[in-house]
Amino acid sequence: MSDKEVKAALKSAREAIRNKEYKEALKHCKAVLKQEKNNYNAWVFIGLAAAELEQPDQAKGAYKKAIEIEPNQLLAWQGLANLYEKSNQTDVKGDLADVYKKLLELYESGDKQKWCNVCNKLVELYHQEKKYLEVAETWQKLIRIKQEEGAEKAELHQLWKRMIQLLADSEQSQDNQTVQMLLNAFEEAVNSADPVPSEDHQNLYKDFIQCLSKLPHETAKLEKACDDMMALYPTASYPLEVLCLHYIESGAMSEKAFQCFSKLSEMDSSSGPGNIGFGIKCLHEKKYEEAVKSLTEGLKNASQCLGAWHCLAEAQMKIHKHKNAVLSCNQALKSLGNPESPSLQQKKDRILQLKAEALIKIGDANAAEEAINALEQIAGASSDPVVLAFRGRAYLNKGLVDQASKISQELLLSHPDLAEAHALEGFIHYSQKKYEQAERSFQNAIERRADTAEYHQYLGLTYWFMSDETKKDKGKTLTQLLKAAKLDSYLGSVFCYLGNYYRDIAGDKSRARGCYKKAFELNATDEESGIAAVDLSVELGDTDTALSILNEVTEKANAASIKWAWLHRGLYYLRTGQPSQAVADLQAALRADPKDSNCWESLGEAYFGRGSYATALKAFRKASELNPELVYSIYRAAAVEQMLGKYENAIVTYQEILKKTEEYVPALKGLGECYLMLAKSALDKYLDRKAVEYIEQALEFFTRATKHRPDVSSLWKLLGDTCTTVHVISPARVNIQVLGLLLGKNEGKQMLKKIELLRLGGRCYGRALKLMTLPNIWCDLGINYYRQAEHLTAVDADMNEISELLEKSLQCIKKAVRLDSKNHLYWNALGVVASCSAIGNYALAQHSFIKSVQAEQINVVAWTNLGVLYLATGNIEQAHEAFKIAQSLEPTYLLCWVGQALVAEKVGSYDTMDLFRHTTELSMHTEGAKGYAHWVCSTLQDKSNRNTEVYQYNIVQMNAIPAAQVVMTKYTERNPDDASAFTMLGYLSEYMDLKRQAKDAYERAASLLKNSEDTEKYNIAMQNYGRSLCAIGECDKAIEVYSSIPLTDFDSIVGIALAYFKKGLLQESIKAYEKALSVAESEQDKAHILTALAIIEYKQNKVDAAKTLLFKCSLKEPSTESLKALCTLGLVKQDVTLATAALKELLKHEKGKDGIYERCLIASAVYALQGRNMAVQREVSKAIHSNPDNPALWSLLSRLVPLYALQKTEGGAMAGNIAHALDSRYGKEALLNVAVNQLAAGYHMLKDQNENPLKSIQKAIHLCPDNPAAWAVLMAACHTENTVVCLNNTQPKRTGLEMTLVSTISAKTGESNLPRNYIQTLEDWSLCQAITSLEETGRISEAEALCNKGLKSCPEHPALFLLLRQVQCKQLLQSHKELPDTILEELHKTVMTSSSVAAWQWLAKVYQSQGMMVGAEMCYRKSLKLASQQGSWSGKLSSLLRLAMLALEICMANVPDEHWPSLVQEATTEALKLSSCPLASLLQALLQYNRKMGARETRRMLERVVYQPGNPESIVSVARWYLLQHLYAKDDYELID
């Protein structure tokens, strides 16, 4: 190849590279190299092309080959530089630097701009590799070239700044040359800046000074730079701060340094270095507290200042803040890090020694361990005697006395003049209580260093503990402690002991308080000093100082550290009557120590003072839990319970105290008060027997209290109150045992009657008056005399004695009024006594009541008493006004309403009964109770008013009969000798069907009237008594009672006739009724007697005679009773005509709400006899529509629905629930009916967790566990639940209950008085149900055994025999073998004898299993016929559905017979007529599917089942599956999705 061709090839290569055809370029270059191996351009082009083709090694080799050929040519060097720059390999950076250097050489004499660019790249490369010296040298060379070129000052300034940036991290390197070049750069940059002054220049100066501050050997430059900057920028604080920090760290505290500190503080008061400097100055001036404050403030802004932390630690040591000093030392050590110079190591040693000293002063074992660790870190610690002395003290604090003694002995031998050695010896002796040796050691230490306060302190403490003589010796203890205090005024413990000395030895409380206060000011954690200062301030009467100390403490510290302060301040507030503040403080104290029982006790008192009684109770209980020996806490807890009215709890708590301390009088008094309050409460509730028991207990405890404290007036007053409380109780009930001690006897008890107790109460009041003459006791004594007189008047005692007692009463109350004439209660009591009939001083009474009203404006009692006074004296209008005012003052006060009722009765007002009723609603009072009962009984006796609005409102709506019966029960409890009250009680009890209570009341009334002169009343009472005896079945006694009185009037003759009838003496009864018929005056009475005679004739099986008598009743004016009897007779004899005719006549004569239940029941029975099942339900529903509030009707409906309207059982369940809600008395029967209805409706737990038969029947059994029917329904409910869970493929939960329930039902029927046929039916059903359950759960042998057992007792029982055959066939059917004809014939015979729908359905299933489809069809048709005959809706529906399913099964097997499809259609159509049965709809849809799978009608019928709301999920899922099959057949994927 010629040169021309070479040039052409190189040109082609260049063009190829330009066109990015690098492989083509390589071909041309290789062609050239074949001709010329050392062609420079060819090698360069190869390097370039290889680089672009990402072949770095080939490119590198090509460039180096070119460089070998022409080392001073640029192209290869530039290409190599580009190649290295693009490479990610780290090992090429060194080669790249060499390339850049060569490029600098090549560019230096040529293109300066390119030289500068390469220089920049080289500097960046050095900078990345942290070769700062090379950076500096290269950059300086750049600046020099720029200077030679005559660059402007601004450009040079920027270059110097760039150099500073590049060398910013070089401070950390140890290369002094680089540092000097950096400083030079700073100086050049500072000097070349323009304009000056400016912000940029200022920032640059800051950076320069900051750089110098990091170089400890450039101190002179630093000071000069700071001075220069301050000269230029006098307002800038930064140079001053740096300079101050320099002085602080170097420790060079010259005058100039202090001037800097002052100047910086003036310039910026928040400056960290300024505050630190000022703190150091204060430290030098011994202003330690100011030093700590300033240093702490300064360190917030200069937290890395080592010298500041060291100085702060020293200052804190001076004021004995040892823990803070340790923290400061730790910060100093953290700032120092690992010292790299001897000077820094010395600083570290000093800090460690200071830290160790602080830890030793703290004094605990952990701190001692830490101190030893710190001392071990000190360089040369083992040779420094002072450090060794510290180590000895650390060992001593840790309890290692032997090691400490060893160090002490070694130091005394090696350094006998070292004060620390003698002090260590003294500390060791002091800790071992060897005070004489300690005294010598501390004296030796003081001789060598007299200015150490600690030595004087411990010498003083040595004297304090040495003996009482040295403690009291002023020249010893006091002198040394005073010297210590003088040498170190921050030593708080010294001032504490000085306080102890002045308080306990000198008796100077004022000076002692000053010392304690000073000690506490120095050490806020010194509880002893704080408590002593507060206590002494209180003793000296200076409560303000005490409170100020406590306030100051609580404001500064947290609750956990100053419990004592919160406690003392809380107690202060408690003493000064500020309970709310006391609560807050005591709570804070408890947060610090939740187990302080005394604090809890004080908190309880604070809560009590605040009125938070429930919380106080909890606090007292907590105190007693923490410390069971705190009797006062237990007592206070009981007292609070007593105040809250929890008397039973209080009694238990008081008795706990008496178990520990039998003679604790407050507990005895509290127990007595509790029993007294319980007695008063019982009296308010008219529980007089209970009240008597409580009074007896109260007297016992009060008597025991007076035994220990006979000098306490209040105890005697309480005894008087307790004795007087019996005044309202009937004398017959008051028989109370009193301790002989109270009666002047030493032991034993004595039974006292009412008058004796009242007299004893008077004597107790007299004893109380001897101890303390108080007006309230005089008044109580007067009232006691009045109660005595009241009792004697009731028992017809001597009038002279009564008059004497009333005169005494009057004088006592007058005495009370004279002592306190402003007390309205005393005036009122005076008025009551003066107005009694025996005194009759009505003017004084009126005056007293008016004075009472004047003394107390809101005085309802006085106004009421004034009204009674006016009423008694015949001033009706004034009485009414007085009562009216009382009502306006207190509308709930009972007695003023009783007064108004009496006024209304007096004037004959229609509101009388309302007013008396209102009194019983407010509360119980004898006058109001008897008045209301009288009006209720009077209204009930008037038979003509039953349909009037007045009767409906007063008696029915107001529930008058039960209300009057309740209050009369209480009245007769309080007044057992009032015959009229007992008669009314018996009358009301009869109305409420409380027969036995009525009998007891009538018996008492008769016994009270037995010896009275009014024989007519007695005879009436005996008639009532006889009637009530007859009602409860005591006929012999009733006949005896009737026989004891003259049988002349109609009522007595009818009464004994009824008694004879109930006794079974029918002939005597007939005679008596015939006698009554002869004396009967009204036609209605005669009709009733004829009805009774007809019943007797029926009892004698004379049905025709009974009919004749009943028809005779109906001829003139038939009574409803006779018509009901006639209708019932028709029902019993299954005479539809008679029953229907009698019912028709009954419905003509009896209308309205009276007798609605009986009328409805009879009508339903007649309709059932007629076979009109729907009419049964409609009759009851119609009655409920008219009487929706009658629970009996709702209960009847729920009972009849499952019998006659099975498709409406959900409504039946609802009716039962309504009956139960209206009246819980119907709950037993109603809930049973609810469960039966729910069973019939198909409810179960999986369907509804809340409303299901199992839950309902469980509630019913809970209400009435003796009802055997309820247990039978429970058996059915369990069977239902087990069947449901089996259908859902889950495990039954209620298995194995069959025999238990059968036994329970048998036991319950044996205990009841139910009809025999009902019992037999129930037992038979339960037995059959148990056998069925056993069979279904696979327990075949048990089921068969139970069948055989039942057949033994009843061989001709068809249902049991059928069950036996079913059980025996079970296993044969499960084996799927063909049954022999003989067995099938036997089964057919067995079923033929049964009238059970289920039996025929079972036989059909047997036939079906044997493939005898026609036989199965016949059996299902037979079951359908039986269900229709029996009127069984469910039987018909199940037979139709089973028949349809049989036929559908045959259709699905594709049997070519049109009979079966038509049978499916026929059966399902009939089923749908009976009910909207989803299963029937499904069967029709499946029939259509079988006929025409792809027809539109098929889809429509299946969709109707799938999308019909409320259809069971099982039916829906089957329909959905067939619908999907239909859609797949039609390829209708849109609908499938």
Side-chain angles (χ1 to χ4, degrees), residues 873-1004:
T873 54
N875 298 307
I876 303 297
E877 288 185 15
Q878 290 94 323
H880 170 66
E881 287 301 319
F883 290 137
K884 189 176 175 182
I885 293 169
Q887 286 171 316
S888 66
L889 290 172
E890 181 55 70
T892 60
Y893 184 62
L894 172 64
L895 291 178
C896 57
W897 287 97
V898 174
Q900 287 289 36
L902 292 170
V903 169
E905 192 174 48
K906 198 91 171 173
V907 299
S909 171
Y910 286 109
D911 295 328
T912 305
M913 189 171 178
D914 268 347
L915 287 166
F916 274 121
R917 187 193 69 251
H918 187 62
T919 64
T920 63
E921 289 171 351
L922 287 172
S923 185
M924 173 63 198
H925 189 270
T926 52
E927 199 69 42
K930 192 173 182 183
Y932 185 50
H934 164 75
W935 278 92
V936 171
C937 292
S938 301
T939 307
L940 290 173
Q941 283 184 315
D942 182 4
K943 305 287 185 183
S944 63
N945 63 1
R946 289 295 186 269
N947 295 320
T948 62
E949 288 185 11
V950 173
Y951 179 86
Q952 286 297 317
Y953 174 75
N954 283 335
I955 302 299
V956 180
Q957 291 182 29
M958 291 294 103
N959 216 18
I961 298 170
Q965 196 267 349
V966 168
V967 294
M968 284 312 292
T969 304
K970 292 180 178 179
Y971 178 92
T972 51
E973 178 76 16
R974 181 66 51 85
N975 300 280
D977 299 328
D978 189 338
S980 62
F982 280 102
T983 301
M984 286 191 282
L985 176 61
Y987 186 64
L988 293 165
S989 298
E990 271 188 301
Y991 258 94
M992 293 180 67
D993 207 26
L994 301 171
K995 297 172 183 175
R996 197 160 293 281
Q997 289 92 321
K999 187 270 292 184
D1000 292 339
Y1002 285 138
E1003 184 180 13
R1004 178 64 180 163

Side-chain angles (χ1 to χ4, degrees), residues 1506-1525:
V1506 170
Y1507 300 121
Q1508 179 66 37
N1511 280 353
E1513 181 58 34
S1514 56
I1515 290 174
V1516 171
S1517 61
V1518 172
R1520 189 183 291 116
W1521 189 87
Y1522 279 102
L1523 180 59
L1524 284 168
Q1525 293 295 316

Side-chain angles (χ1 to χ4, degrees), residues 575-647:
R575 281 195 300 270
T576 55
Q578 300 175 69
S580 295
Q581 292 94 319
V583 165
D585 284 1
L586 291 166
Q587 283 175 337
L590 281 168
R591 280 194 287 274
D593 183 7
K595 294 187 177 180
D596 186 339
S597 56
N598 293 316
C599 199
W600 278 107
E601 185 176 274
S602 303
L603 181 61
E605 292 292 355
Y607 278 131
F608 187 86
R610 196 177 72 177
S612 303
Y613 302 120
T615 320
L617 177 60
K618 290 178 183 177
F620 286 129
R621 279 180 178 163
K622 183 70 176 178
S624 60
E625 284 172 17
L626 292 168
N627 185 0
E629 300 304 316
L630 279 177
V631 174
Y632 181 74
S633 290
I634 304 172
Y635 165 71
R636 290 298 287 154
V640 174
E641 286 175 323
Q642 180 183 334
M643 175 174 278
L644 293 172
K646 299 177 181 178
Y647 301 117

Side-chain angles (χ1 to χ4, degrees), residues 632-870:
Y632 181 74
S633 290
I634 304 172
Y635 165 71
R636 290 298 287 154
V640 174
E641 286 175 323
Q642 180 183 334
M643 175 174 278
L644 293 172
K646 299 177 181 178
Y647 301 117
E648 289 85 356
N649 295 352
I651 286 168
V652 172
T653 311
Y654 281 132
Q655 285 172 341
E656 281 180 26
I657 298 171
L658 293 181
K659 286 177 186 176
K660 298 175 182 179
T661 314
E662 289 185 9
E663 300 177 0
Y664 195 69
V665 173
L668 290 168
K669 177 175 175 281
L671 271 168
E673 287 172 334
C674 286
Y675 280 117
L676 178 57
M677 294 308 296
L678 285 171
K680 289 179 178 179
S681 175
L683 289 173
D684 289 341
K685 296 172 185 174
Y686 282 65
L687 303 172
D688 291 358
R689 289 185 178 87
K690 201 74 178 169
V692 168
E693 293 174 15
Y694 289 139
I695 289 168
E696 190 172 296
Q697 294 272 22
L699 286 172
E700 179 183 342
F701 287 111
F702 285 140
T703 305
R704 284 172 61 185
T706 55
K707 178 184 176 182
H708 301 296
R709 290 298 302 274
D711 57 329
V712 178
S713 173
S714 62
L715 291 174
W716 293 103
K717 182 192 178 305
L718 285 166
L719 275 167
D721 291 343
T722 309
C723 292
T724 310
T725 307
V726 301
H727 75 276
V728 296
I729 306 173
S730 170
R733 297 259 160 80
V734 182
N735 285 295
I736 294 176
Q737 284 191 330
V738 178
L739 288 173
L741 180 69
L742 192 59
L743 303 171
K745 299 174 183 178
N746 291 330
E747 57 184 25
K749 290 185 177 181
Q750 186 171 333
M751 189 71 76
L752 297 185
K753 296 287 184 183
K754 181 174 179 179
I755 186 60
E756 294 170 324
L757 267 174
L758 290 170
R759 286 169 180 161
L760 177 61
R763 291 200 298 276
C764 290
Y765 284 132
R767 183 73 179 268
L769 283 168
K770 285 180 182 177
L771 292 167
M772 191 177 290
T773 302
L774 293 172
N776 65 321
I777 303 177
W778 279 108
C779 182
D780 289 338
L781 179 58
I783 292 169
N784 176 270
Y785 286 140
Y786 174 73
R787 297 301 181 193
Q788 288 184 48
E790 195 176 48
H791 169 72
L792 292 173
T793 304
V795 297
D796 298 326
D798 181 25
M799 285 305 298
N800 291 329
E801 186 181 357
I802 294 169
S803 300
E804 185 182 343
L805 284 168
L806 288 172
E807 185 58 35
K808 283 182 180 179
S809 172
L810 205 60
Q811 294 306 318
C812 288
I813 298 174
K814 283 181 178 178
K815 174 75 173 177
V817 168
R818 283 196 294 274
L819 289 171
D820 184 1
S821 60
K822 292 181 180 179
N823 192 306
H824 65 283
L825 297 173
Y826 306 157
W827 283 110
N828 185 62
L830 182 60
V832 170
V833 174
S835 63
C836 75
S837 57
I839 293 178
N841 192 344
Y842 299 126
L844 174 61
Q846 182 184 23
H847 171 72
S848 299
F849 291 139
I850 292 168
K851 290 291 285 182
S852 179
V853 169
Q854 289 172 349
E856 174 58 52
Q857 295 296 319
I858 303 172
N859 193 343
V860 63
V861 177
W863 278 111
T864 303
N865 288 338
L866 186 59
V868 173
L869 178 64
Y870 288 140

Side-chain angles (χ1 to χ4, degrees), residues 72 74 101-116 141 145 149:
N72 293 321
L74 274 168
K101 286 179 185 176
K102 183 64 179 177
L103 284 171
L104 287 176
E105 287 177 19
L106 296 172
Y107 284 134
E108 191 168 5
S109 58
D111 190 342
K112 294 296 183 185
Q113 184 59 45
K114 287 185 177 179
W115 187 92
C116 291
K141 191 174 182 182
I145 286 174
E149 290 179 353

